[in-house]
Amino acid sequence: QVQLQESGPGLVKPSQTLSLTCTISGGSITTNYYYWSWIRQPPGKRLEWMGAIARDGSIYYNPSLKSRTLISRDTSKNQFTLQLSSVTPEDTAVYYCARASSCCPDPDHTELNEYDYCGQGTQVTVSS
C-alpha cells in the first residue's frame, strides 16, 4: 500500500518561498511509470494541479504557476519537494501530494479521484 505524507511549515510570510516535502512509503519514486504530483485547493475554490515529476526525472508544470514553481526529488530519501516562490495570500490552500498514472490534467479541472494515491493534505497559510 503506497502512502504519501506532506510536511512543511503551515505559515509562510508574503513574498517568501513555500517549501513542502512529500515522503513516499510502500513504493519507490523511481519505479514504474507514475507521475508524482502536487495539487492544491484554496478555500472555496476547485482543486488546482501544480505540477509533477516523472520516474525519469522529467518535470511538468502548470503554465500559470511555472515561473514560481520548482519541483524536485531526492531518490535516496524517496521524497519529492515543492517550492513556490513569491507567495501571496492567494497561495493559501490545502496542499496535497499525489501519485498519478498519467500526465497532465487540465490544471483547473482536476479531481482527487484522478489520482491513485493522495496524501492527507497540509494547510499552508500565507500571512504576515
Side-chain angles (χ1 to χ4, degrees):
Q1 179 79 2
V2 174
Q3 293 185 318
L4 300 100
Q5 179 66 58
E6 305 91 351
S7 60
L11 180 64
V12 183
K13 294 184 184 301
S15 80
Q16 292 187 343
T17 296
L18 178 162
S19 296
L20 295 174
T21 297
C22 183
T23 301
I24 304 163
S25 58
S28 172
I29 197 171
T30 59
T31 60
N32 296 317
Y33 296 92
Y34 297 124
Y35 299 85
W36 303 92
S37 310
W38 288 100
I39 48 181
R40 68 179 182 177
Q41 187 165 29
K45 296 186 179 180
R46 296 179 60 94
L47 277 175
E48 179 181 34
W49 177 79
M50 301 183 71
I53 186 165
R55 169 192 177 220
D56 63 357
S58 299
I59 304 172
Y60 306 86
Y61 292 110
N62 177 342
S64 69
L65 297 172
K66 185 176 182 178
S67 65
R68 299 196 292 130
T69 309
L70 179 65
I71 294 173
S72 60
R73 67 180 183 177
D74 186 334
T75 57
S76 67
K77 296 181 180 179
N78 215 29
Q79 295 175 333
F80 63 109
T81 61
L82 170 73
Q83 291 183 285
L84 183 66
S85 62
S86 304
V87 297
T88 72
E90 291 192 347
D91 294 309
T92 294
V94 177
Y95 286 76
Y96 299 90
C97 59
R99 192 188 85 175
S101 297
S102 62
C103 192
C104 305
D106 180 335
D108 297 323
H109 294 89
T110 190
E111 303 286 349
L112 285 179
N113 60 17
E114 295 177 9
Y115 301 89
D116 306 326
Y117 296 96
C118 192
Q120 63 182 18
T122 187
Q123 173 70 45
V124 178
T125 300
V126 179
S127 175
S128 55

